[in-house]
C-alpha cells in the first residue's frame, strides 16, 4: 500500500478546513476567548510532541541527558541567544553528560 493516497487525503482535508473558516464565519471576528484558545494550541502541541519524542511510548525511551540538553537550549534561548547557537548548546550539554557517564 502506498503512502501517497494518505498524503493526498490529508492535503485535501487541510484545504477544506482552511476554506471552511471564512465560509462559516463570513467576515465576522471570532470571540476573544476563542482566539485565546487557538493561540495556545500551537505551543501546547509543540510541548506534547517534545515530551512524546523525549520520553517515548509509555516512557520507555526516557533519557535524562536529552532533558538536560533541552534545558540547556531553553536556558540559552532565555538568555536571548540565536536559534542555532542555542541548539548547539543543547547538543553540547547532552554530549558532555553522555561522555561523563
Amino acid at each position: 500500500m502506498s503512502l501517497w493516497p494518505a498524503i493526498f487525503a490529508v492535503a485535501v482535508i487541510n484545504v477544506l478546513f482552511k476554506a471552511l473558516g471564512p465560509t462559516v464565519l463570513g467576515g465576522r471576528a471570532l470571540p476573544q476567548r476563542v482566539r485565546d484558545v487557538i493561540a495556545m494550541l500551537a505551543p501546547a502541541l509543540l510541548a506534547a510532541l517534545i515530551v512524546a519524542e523525549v520520553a517515548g511510548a509509555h516512557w520507555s525511551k526516557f533519557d535524562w541527558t536529552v532533558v538536560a540538553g533541552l534545558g540547556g537550549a531553553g536556558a540559552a534561548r532565555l538568555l536571548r541567544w540565536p536559534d542555532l547557537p542555542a541548539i548547539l548548546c543543547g547538543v553540547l550539554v547532552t554530549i558532555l553528560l553522555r561522555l561523563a557517564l
Side-chain angles (χ1 to χ4, degrees), residues 9-82:
V10 169
V12 168
I13 291 170
N14 184 26
V15 169
L16 289 176
F17 272 132
K18 286 185 178 188
L20 186 65
T23 303
V24 171
L25 291 176
R28 295 174 296 188
L30 290 173
Q32 183 61 39
R33 188 163 180 92
V34 174
R35 286 186 294 196
D36 291 341
V37 170
I38 291 171
M40 292 308 296
L41 286 175
L45 180 60
L46 179 61
L49 289 171
I50 289 171
V51 168
E53 184 63 32
V54 168
H58 305 289
W59 294 77
S60 62
K61 295 189 297 183
F62 185 78
D63 184 4
W64 69 273
T65 59
V66 173
V67 176
L70 284 171
R77 285 298 294 149
L78 285 175
L79 293 172
R80 303 206 184 276
W81 286 18

